[in-house]
């Protein structure tokens, strides 16, 4: 998978789970992502194993610089989560390109709805067609909020 048209030169996206640097992803999320602070490595590895995983990589070094995962039945529903761009790689459009590549990857499944939650990146997702729920009063959650 490559969405090189929207990526800056020198970067590539991939949905190959073998390329995910699980230790790096855990470090990023458990120490710097407000939604995952303190997440254990065991919990993160389980999340990776049960999800579609996506990365952005520097082409020259192969180093992973961004991550996203999707929980989905590959038929009707998808939950986009854990979208993260390494601090040194921010401001280059990698987040938008990564989410665009994720959306493109999901298209053949015919997923009716892709959801996400964000506390600070609404503009990133709006560029890709995400919008606030039309009827949030219909949605419910169980667990910590």
């Amino acid at each position: 998978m490559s969405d090189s048209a929207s990526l800056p030169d020198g970067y590539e996206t991939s949905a190959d789970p073998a390329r995910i640097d699980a230790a790096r992803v855990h470090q990023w999320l458990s120490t710097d992502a407000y939604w995952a602070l303190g997440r254990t490595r065991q919990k993160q590895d389980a999340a990776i194993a049960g999800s579609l995983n996506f990365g952005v990589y520097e082409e020259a070094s192969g180093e992973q610089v961004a991550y996203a995962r999707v929980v989905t039945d590959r038929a009707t529903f998808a939950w986009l989560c854990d979208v993260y761009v390494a601090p040194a790689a921010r401001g280059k459009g990698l987040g938008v390109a990564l989410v665009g590549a994720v959306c493109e990857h999901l298209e053949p499944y015919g997923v009716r709805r892709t959801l996400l939650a964000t506390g600070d990146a609404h503009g990133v997702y709006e560029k890709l067609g995400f919008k606030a729920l039309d009827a949030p009063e219909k949605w419910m959650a169980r667990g910590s909020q």
Side-chain angles (χ1 to χ4, degrees), residues 17 33 37 41-42 47 54 57 62 66 81 107 109 125 132 141 144:
L37 292 175
R41 176 66 190 267
Q42 180 180 7
F54 302 84
Y57 303 88
C81 52
E107 282 181 19
Y109 298 125
Y125 300 108
S144 62

Side-chain angles (χ1 to χ4, degrees), residues 19-104:
R19 292 189 70 184
I20 298 299
D21 184 337
R24 177 173 291 197
V25 168
H26 174 254
Q27 175 70 26
W28 286 337
L29 297 178
S30 68
T31 64
D32 191 42
Y34 66 85
W35 65 90
L37 292 175
R39 185 180 290 170
T40 67
R41 176 66 190 267
Q42 180 180 7
K43 183 73 72 175
Q44 184 61 48
D45 287 349
I48 288 170
S51 302
L52 296 177
N53 297 276
F54 302 84
V56 175
Y57 303 88
E58 291 182 347
E59 288 179 342
S61 67
E63 180 182 355
Q64 186 173 354
V65 297
Y67 174 75
R69 70 184 181 90
V70 176
V71 180
T72 183
D73 60 8
R74 293 182 173 98
T76 63
F77 179 83
W79 176 265
L80 174 61
C81 52
D82 288 345
V83 178
Y84 186 89
V85 177
R90 292 179 186 163
K92 300 177 182 179
L94 298 178
V96 172
L98 175 58
V99 174
V102 168
C103 292
E104 183 178 298

